[in-house]
Amino acid sequence: MGLTKQYLRYVASAVFGVIGSQKGNIVFVTLRGEKGRYVAVPACEHVFVWDLRKGEKILILQGLKQEVTCLCPSPDGLHLAVGYEDGSIRIFSLLSGEGNVTFNGHKAAITSLKYDQLGGRLASGSKDTDAIVWDVINESGLYRLKGHKDAITQALFLREKNLLVTSGKDTMVKWWDLDTQHCFKTMVGHRTEVWGLVLVSEDKRLITGASDSELRAWDIAYLQEVEDLEEPEPKKSKGSSPGIQDTHEPEDGNPETDETPEDRILTCRKAGSIMREGRDRVVNLAVDRTGRILACHGTDSVLEVFCILSKGEIQKKMDKKMKKARKKAKLNSSKGEEEDLEVNVEMTLQDEIQRVTNIKTSAKIKSFDLIHSPQGELKAVFLLQNNLVESYSLHLSATAPQPVRTSRITIGGHRSDVRTLSFSSDNIAVLSAAADSVKIWNRATLQCIRTMTCEYALCSFFVPGDRQVVIGTKTGKLQLYDLASGNLLETIDAHDGALWSLSLSPDQRGFVTGGADKSVKFWDFELVKDENSTQKRLSVKQTRTLQLDEDVLCVSYSPSQKLLAVSLLDCTVKIFYVDTLKFFLSLYGHKLPVICMDISYDGALIATGSADRNVKIWGLDFGDCHKSLFAHDDSVMYLQFVPKSHLFFTAGKDHKIKQWDADKFEHIQTLEGHHQEIWCLAISPSGDYVVSSSHDKSLRLWERTREPLILEEEREMQREAEYEESVAKEDQPVVPGETQGDNYFTGKKTIETVKAAERIMEAVELYREETAKRKEHKAICKAAGKEVPLPINPILMAYGNISPSAYVLEIFKGIKSSELEESLLVLPFSYVPDILKLFNEFIQLGSDIELLCRCLFFLLRIHFGQITSNQMLVPVIEKLKETTISKVSQVRDVIGFNMAGLEYLKRECEAKSEVMFFADATSQLEEKKRKRKKREKLILTYT
């Protein structure tokens, strides 16, 4: 079949204009051995790493499609865990910038990520109410913890104990014993959602933040440490309630009053409350890595900083308090009385946690991170809600510490949504304008080369020559800017209401504006004498006005400059003659007002996009509607023809950009990438580039490639994508002994796990076929009495002419560790007997014992009933039992030997380092003695 019409594919080229997106959190990362200089921020589906000192973007961690919702750096500073909107987690290396490990287990957005102290395990919490603990080293899930009834807001490992504590929007704080994977304690002392959770004072105190202005503190007592001591009666602090209910089974709402197993692990008692200055809910609550600085913020722009005092500092404070109390008691006592005054001073929570100061940022805080240097300097970095990153420094050693702003990253993006975009005539510069500023970007480098303040911009274009730009504002003004100097040349009051649309005339001598004051105005460019200079400067003058009955939403010249199309609030588009301003045509049919429209390069077609989600294509000769297309799932916000063609792009509030053919009325392709409503787009004069802006604060550049796009293939790819999405949404396979929906495995069914299971099935089938062929070949050789050449399978030849059984092992080794269990879970049982026989062979050979044992134990666990009831598999299981025990013992012995060797080397190194240390110390001491003797000699000579 020949190609009737060839289209060229547009692909995503770059994301710019976003400094940090709102859904995720900002974190300090360690790069090049420097702490406190680099921060990682979510940027739509990517993660940007910014240098705070230079204000430059130095690393981009490329995401896939979903938006980033959570970040967490590893304790060693080498990796960054990134959680996404779809529930997946990727671990990136900060050295290479690659994400090699992917965890799929959650069904909804990740809300919390936290490493344990060594960085070997990662706890993730999600909106799907589950917490999952992942083994980062083995790249697999350990266990799923179910119990919360709403989204999890925080999950923390305890340092010394194998425990996990989680908080949720269901008002609960749950304690999990990771040895038995069950919830042994549920704290119900909160009446509202628990938004934040931190552990301080060496995990002896828990601080929680809820939807009120109170930070609650809970004392944790580990009963193994105090089992010899008698438990004192808990004192009820004034205004505090017991607020804790211990439950053994989290699903039961009934508390158990008898002694429960959790009483043997820890007790948790309310120690008091710290009152915040903010009256709204806690958005973020965090401590720095030393556990000394506690900070929190609400929905405003103030971060409240507290200092957790050490035991020595508390003792000093209590001594001072005691002194004051004694003085006061002496003054109050009657004169002449001489008796010992007994003064009791109670230690309150405010004595242990001291308020330091407040840090006021320039806008509302979305998230923050802290780093406390040994010199006593506290660095705080903020991701603000207006696409801004700020960092502050605070010297805690000062008597009244005042925060100082050290850096601000602003130039890389607008503070608000971009409402208009334009390309220069040479395709090099891109103009973007928002509520407060106009920025000019270099398309090739994506660097901002000019920023100018403006009023709320709605429309714009480059003046011919690309040296000036014209902006139309929400207040009805025209603003004319000079790009070389960045100065505002002139502001003209053009309309009484909003100036919705501008259209440059094809002869490039003037332009037309349409506004909310029901008028269309014609303007010409002119040169006027500049008061500040001898040279003339550009200005504009109004020539004509067309008064209409409705508000004007959009205006557009025809390429011949004979006709002017005007979109009105009454859902019609009126066509007028430009020279006489006489009415020519009325295009009616849209159910809601036409927001955008464009006329093709030859003046034959006009395409209109409306809030009714439809695009209509009309002929300009008779005003007949050629076709009505259901274009988007929400309002069509922008429409523009590709120059020199009848292809056009539309942008909608459904986050999509679509390309259409106006001759064949075909949908060509969809450009997906934006995560919020798209406001506008601009196509370069060459048609090679498209730039779009969205409510997610990002600007995206799309580039036309040389790759031909065939519609049938495009439809097929769309169907495949829909199938892959449907596979992920299907019910998870049920393991025998579990009910539907109660999945306690950590993985989830994805298209990757289905493909991995298919690869295993194909490998086993190939093994069966090849084994049968080899048996036939032996029989043929025996019958012929000579060696007949064996036909070689091309797949086995590609793997280096290996045996069929070795090919099966290669397939198992090729499956990602994080997808292994889920792939085996969807594998039909008919393949399991052959796999068990092969495992027996492999384990006897001693190859990949750990991988094979992991697969074997999982298969035995999920198919236990069928395997034990199958008489044919009894001898196989018996053999597996013998070989597995012996081979695992061998592997354990090898590991034990290696560990003993490493311990020996460690002791040797320590011994050497101690010798070196003492040698350095003695040399330093001798040097000090020499200097002292020298000084003494000098003193003697002077005297």
Side-chain angles (χ1 to χ4, degrees):
M1 185 184 77
L3 292 174
T4 53
K5 186 164 185 179
Q6 185 171 316
Y7 304 105
L8 293 177
R9 186 182 296 280
Y10 283 82
V11 296
S13 174
V15 179
F16 63 105
V18 60
I19 294 170
S21 50
Q22 303 303 303
K23 284 195 176 176
N25 59 304
I26 190 168
V27 291
F28 276 110
V29 291
T30 306
L31 279 181
R32 301 163 190 166
E34 286 194 63
K35 291 183 178 179
R37 179 173 174 180
Y38 303 101
V39 290
V41 293
C44 298
E45 69 271 25
H46 305 309
V47 176
F48 290 167
V49 178
W50 293 90
D51 183 340
L52 290 174
R53 199 175 297 166
K54 294 182 180 177
E56 293 176 359
K57 193 190 306 172
I58 60 160
L59 183 64
I60 299 175
L61 305 178
Q62 298 278 349
L64 299 172
K65 281 186 179 180
Q66 299 294 328
E67 204 168 358
V68 174
T69 58
C70 193
L71 300 178
C72 180
S74 62
D76 58 9
L78 300 175
H79 296 92
L80 182 72
V82 182
Y84 292 90
E85 185 77 28
D86 64 344
S88 62
I89 300 164
R90 291 181 78 194
I91 296 177
F92 288 89
S93 167
L94 289 171
L95 300 175
S96 64
E98 293 176 0
N100 298 322
V101 183
T102 304
F103 296 133
N104 282 305
H106 292 288
K107 295 175 187 173
I110 302 295
T111 53
S112 170
L113 286 173
K114 196 65 73 175
Y115 279 94
D116 67 355
Q117 196 179 6
L118 297 174
R121 292 179 300 174
L122 177 70
S124 63
S126 167
K127 284 184 178 176
D128 64 5
T129 75
D130 292 350
I132 299 179
V133 180
W134 306 92
D135 185 340
V136 177
I137 296 159
N138 195 33
E139 299 178 12
S140 63
L142 292 173
Y143 24 80
R144 184 186 295 267
L145 306 171
K146 299 170 89 73
H148 280 283
K149 299 291 187 286
D150 205 338
I152 290 173
T153 54
Q154 189 61 275
L156 297 172
F157 285 100
L158 272 74
R159 289 185 187 180
E160 304 298 330
K161 312 287 179 183
N162 194 23
L163 304 174
L164 183 79
V165 57
T166 59
S167 62
K169 287 170 75 174
D170 57 358
T171 75
M172 306 292 184
V173 174
K174 288 182 179 285
W175 294 81
W176 307 86
D177 185 350
L178 297 182
D179 293 325
T180 57
Q181 296 108 50
H182 86 290
C183 173
F184 66 86
K185 182 183 281 290
T186 301
M187 294 165 53
V188 292
H190 304 87
R191 295 289 171 263
T192 54
E193 298 97 333
V194 183
W195 291 102
L197 184 77
V198 290
L199 286 161
V200 295
S201 306
E202 298 174 353
D203 293 350
K204 297 286 175 64
R205 175 161 288 159
L206 180 75
I207 296 174
T208 57
S211 294
D212 50 19
S213 57
E214 208 177 324
L215 293 181
R216 293 168 178 81
W218 312 81
D219 281 336
I220 304 162
Y222 302 102
L223 297 196
Q224 293 94 329
E225 297 171 8
V226 292
E227 58 188 0
D228 296 331
L229 302 172
E230 286 186 8
E231 190 174 336
E233 276 293 312
K235 289 182 181 177
K236 284 189 182 179
S237 58
K238 192 177 178 183
S240 71
S241 59
I244 295 179
Q245 179 177 333
D246 297 338
T247 63
H248 179 51
E249 286 293 330
E251 285 76 23
D252 296 340
N254 304 319
E256 295 184 7
T257 51
D258 300 332
E259 187 181 325
T260 49
E262 70 269 16
D263 291 329
R264 301 190 207 105
I265 299 174
L266 59 84
T267 59
C268 204
R269 310 229 175 269
K270 189 169 181 184
S273 295
I274 308 162
M275 298 308 292
R276 293 168 47 237
E277 287 182 2
R279 290 282 165 264
D280 49 358
R281 76 173 179 89
V282 171
V283 174
N284 280 308
L285 175 69
V287 288
D288 71 315
R289 283 163 200 170
T290 61
R292 182 162 168 75
I293 305 299
L294 170 73
C296 66
H297 71 89
T299 54
D300 53 7
S301 59
V302 176
L303 181 81
E304 298 180 44
V305 183
F306 301 89
C307 182
I308 296 154
L309 302 180
S310 63
K311 287 179 181 175
E313 289 170 329
I314 293 168
Q315 192 57 49
K316 277 183 185 176
K317 200 170 184 184
M318 294 310 295
D319 290 346
K320 280 184 183 177
K321 219 174 179 183
M322 183 69 81
K323 259 188 183 179
K324 279 185 181 177
R326 279 178 180 159
K327 270 188 181 178
K328 200 173 182 182
K330 278 183 182 178
L331 288 169
N332 291 339
S333 63
S334 58
K335 291 176 183 179
E337 284 182 12
E338 289 184 7
E339 56 177 310
D340 291 335
L341 297 166
E342 285 188 9
V343 179
N344 288 326
V345 177
E346 287 186 10
M347 187 168 68
T348 62
L349 191 65
Q350 280 69 24
D351 295 324
E352 299 176 57
I353 301 172
Q354 185 180 348
R355 183 182 291 275
V356 179
T357 186
N358 289 350
I359 299 176
K360 181 90 167 64
T361 57
S362 61
K364 288 183 179 179
I365 302 168
K366 181 68 189 95
S367 66
F368 73 96
D369 197 16
L370 303 171
I371 193 162
H372 188 210
S373 65
Q375 291 79 26
E377 184 189 12
L378 177 72
K379 287 182 181 176
V381 66
F382 300 90
L383 175 61
L384 305 181
Q385 286 190 349
N386 62 347
N387 194 28
L388 193 66
V389 169
E390 283 185 348
S391 69
Y392 288 80
S393 176
L394 193 67
H395 287 279
L396 298 172
S397 52
T399 50
Q402 290 297 320
V404 178
R405 191 168 74 198
T406 53
S407 64
R408 200 164 185 244
I409 301 172
T410 61
I411 199 163
H414 289 275
R415 305 286 74 78
S416 56
D417 294 359
V418 171
R419 301 308 297 253
T420 175
L421 290 164
S422 297
F423 260 104
S424 62
S425 59
D426 57 5
N427 307 297
I428 291 174
V430 178
L431 176 148
S432 65
D436 57 350
S437 63
V438 181
K439 286 182 182 285
I440 309 295
W441 308 82
N442 183 318
R443 178 196 50 76
T445 62
L446 303 176
Q447 295 296 315
C448 177
I449 53 179
R450 183 74 74 236
T451 301
M452 301 163 285
T453 56
C454 71
E455 292 186 26
Y456 199 119
L458 294 175
C459 47
S460 63
F461 66 83
F462 278 88
V463 174
D466 297 336
R467 292 185 180 181
Q468 294 90 12
V469 293
V470 175
I471 304 291
T473 71
K474 201 173 183 179
T475 55
K477 291 176 183 174
L478 278 173
Q479 293 189 307
L480 184 63
Y481 290 89
D482 179 57
L483 292 186
S485 62
N487 293 333
L488 174 65
L489 296 177
E490 194 174 357
T491 301
I492 300 150
D493 291 322
H495 291 267
D496 289 338
L499 199 162
W500 290 114
S501 181
L502 290 168
S503 180
L504 183 66
S505 62
D507 64 3
Q508 299 191 340
R509 291 181 179 179
F511 59 94
V512 64
T513 61
D517 59 354
K518 304 179 184 178
S519 66
V520 175
K521 295 186 180 181
F522 295 80
W523 308 80
D524 280 350
F525 295 116
E526 63 173 355
L527 290 171
V528 297
K529 191 176 179 183
D530 192 356
E531 296 172 2
N532 303 324
S533 170
T534 56
Q535 294 179 339
K536 290 187 175 182
R537 66 166 178 83
L538 187 76
S539 181
V540 295
K541 66 173 181 179
Q542 187 185 342
T543 55
R544 292 183 294 170
T545 303
L546 172 63
Q547 200 64 38
L548 296 161
D549 297 332
E550 294 285 343
D551 289 12
V552 177
L553 298 179
C554 190
V555 292
S556 182
Y557 269 116
S558 67
S560 62
Q561 206 171 329
K562 286 183 178 178
L563 302 173
L564 177 71
V566 181
S567 159
L568 301 174
L569 199 60
D570 62 0
C571 310
T572 63
V573 176
K574 301 248 189 313
I575 313 291
F576 296 92
Y577 289 105
V578 173
D579 50 0
T580 61
L581 297 184
K582 284 186 177 178
F583 174 73
F584 172 47
L585 290 170
S586 179
L587 312 178
Y588 54 89
H590 282 290
K591 295 180 178 65
L592 289 169
V594 173
I595 298 170
C596 51
M597 63 183 176
D598 197 18
I599 298 173
S600 63
Y601 74 103
D602 55 4
L605 300 173
I606 178 171
T608 57
S610 166
D612 63 7
R613 303 178 289 179
N614 290 305
V615 167
K616 291 184 187 288
I617 300 163
W618 317 75
L620 260 183
D621 43 6
F622 302 111
D624 55 325
C625 181
H626 291 184
K627 189 72 175 176
S628 182
L629 304 166
F630 182 75
H632 290 270
D633 296 330
D634 208 331
S635 301
V636 182
M637 296 305 295
Y638 210 85
L639 184 150
Q640 192 175 346
F641 274 98
V642 177
K644 305 288 188 296
S645 76
H646 278 186
L647 308 180
F648 65 91
F649 280 95
T650 59
K653 278 190 175 179
D654 60 353
H655 317 169
K656 292 175 185 174
I657 299 168
K658 294 186 180 182
Q659 189 185 18
W660 307 84
D661 186 341
D663 291 331
K664 296 197 162 195
F665 318 123
E666 289 271 14
H667 171 217
I668 301 167
Q669 73 173 123
T670 302
L671 304 178
E672 293 189 55
H674 283 292
H675 301 284
Q676 299 284 339
E677 301 94 329
I678 300 170
W679 298 125
C680 59
L681 59 83
I683 302 172
S684 66
S686 64
D688 288 337
Y689 301 98
V690 177
V691 66
S692 57
S693 78
S694 165
H695 184 50
D696 62 14
K697 301 284 196 301
S698 71
L699 301 174
R700 287 175 189 264
L701 184 68
W702 314 83
E703 190 174 349
R704 184 162 63 186
T705 62
R706 302 295 104 194
E707 179 193 349
L709 186 147
I710 298 159
L711 292 179
E712 288 77 10
E713 288 182 7
E714 194 69 14
R715 304 289 175 270
E716 185 62 33
M717 285 165 64
Q718 281 180 359
R719 283 193 289 272
E720 280 179 17
E722 285 169 11
Y723 168 71
E724 288 181 8
E725 280 182 21
S726 66
V727 164
K729 287 176 184 174
E730 282 175 14
D731 291 332
Q732 300 295 315
V734 182
V735 180
E738 288 185 4
T739 57
Q740 183 70 41
D742 281 350
N743 179 19
Y744 286 89
F745 289 115
T746 54
K748 91 173 170 184
K749 185 179 176 183
T750 61
I751 194 67
E752 286 80 16
T753 60
V754 172
K755 285 178 180 174
E758 285 171 358
R759 288 203 301 275
I760 296 170
M761 288 154 65
E762 285 166 9
V764 173
E765 281 167 7
L766 186 141
Y767 164 74
R768 288 171 180 169
E769 288 168 14
E770 287 298 309
T771 309
K773 277 183 190 174
R774 293 191 181 201
K775 279 182 183 174
E776 284 175 22
H777 178 257
K778 278 185 184 176
I780 290 165
C781 291
K782 198 173 180 182
K786 61 176 182 177
E787 193 68 32
V788 180
L790 174 70
I792 299 168
N793 190 303
I795 296 173
L796 299 179
M797 179 68 85
Y799 276 82
N801 202 7
I802 57 175
S803 66
S805 57
Y807 173 67
V808 176
L809 181 59
E810 286 297 320
I811 292 297
F812 270 100
K813 283 157 73 175
I815 297 170
K816 283 185 181 177
S817 179
S818 55
E819 296 168 2
L820 189 60
E821 274 90 354
E822 202 61 35
S823 304
L824 293 171
L825 194 59
V826 297
L827 195 71
F829 180 72
S830 57
Y831 294 91
V832 173
D834 288 320
I835 290 171
L836 292 178
K837 288 169 188 170
L838 287 167
F839 281 2
N840 191 24
E841 288 177 29
F842 300 147
I843 292 170
Q844 280 177 344
L845 294 170
S847 54
D848 295 286
I849 300 295
E850 291 179 44
L851 172 69
L852 294 172
C853 285
R854 186 177 157 196
C855 297
L856 172 64
F857 298 151
F858 188 79
L859 287 172
L860 290 173
R861 185 178 165 194
I862 60 173
H863 296 299
F864 179 77
Q866 287 170 293
I867 290 170
T868 50
S869 60
N870 192 334
Q871 291 298 316
M872 301 287 286
L873 290 175
V874 172
V876 178
I877 297 296
E878 286 294 329
K879 284 180 188 172
L880 275 168
K881 184 182 171 185
E882 293 170 16
T883 52
T884 305
I885 291 168
S886 63
K887 292 294 177 183
V888 168
S889 299
Q890 285 179 20
V891 172
R892 189 180 60 206
D893 292 343
V894 169
I895 292 170
F897 181 82
N898 289 342
M899 284 180 71
L902 288 167
E903 283 290 333
Y904 172 73
L905 288 171
K906 183 185 170 188
R907 284 197 298 273
E908 288 284 308
C909 291
E910 281 176 356
K912 281 181 185 176
S913 65
E914 280 173 9
V915 168
M916 290 295 290
F917 173 75
F918 285 120
D920 290 344
T922 49
S923 64
Q924 284 174 4
L925 188 67
E926 284 169 3
E927 196 173 344
K928 279 183 180 176
K929 281 181 180 176
R930 279 199 302 273
K931 283 181 180 177
R932 196 184 299 130
K933 282 179 182 177
K934 205 173 181 181
R935 280 200 301 272
E936 284 172 2
K937 281 180 185 176
L938 285 167
I939 291 162
L940 286 167
T941 52
Y942 276 112
T943 53

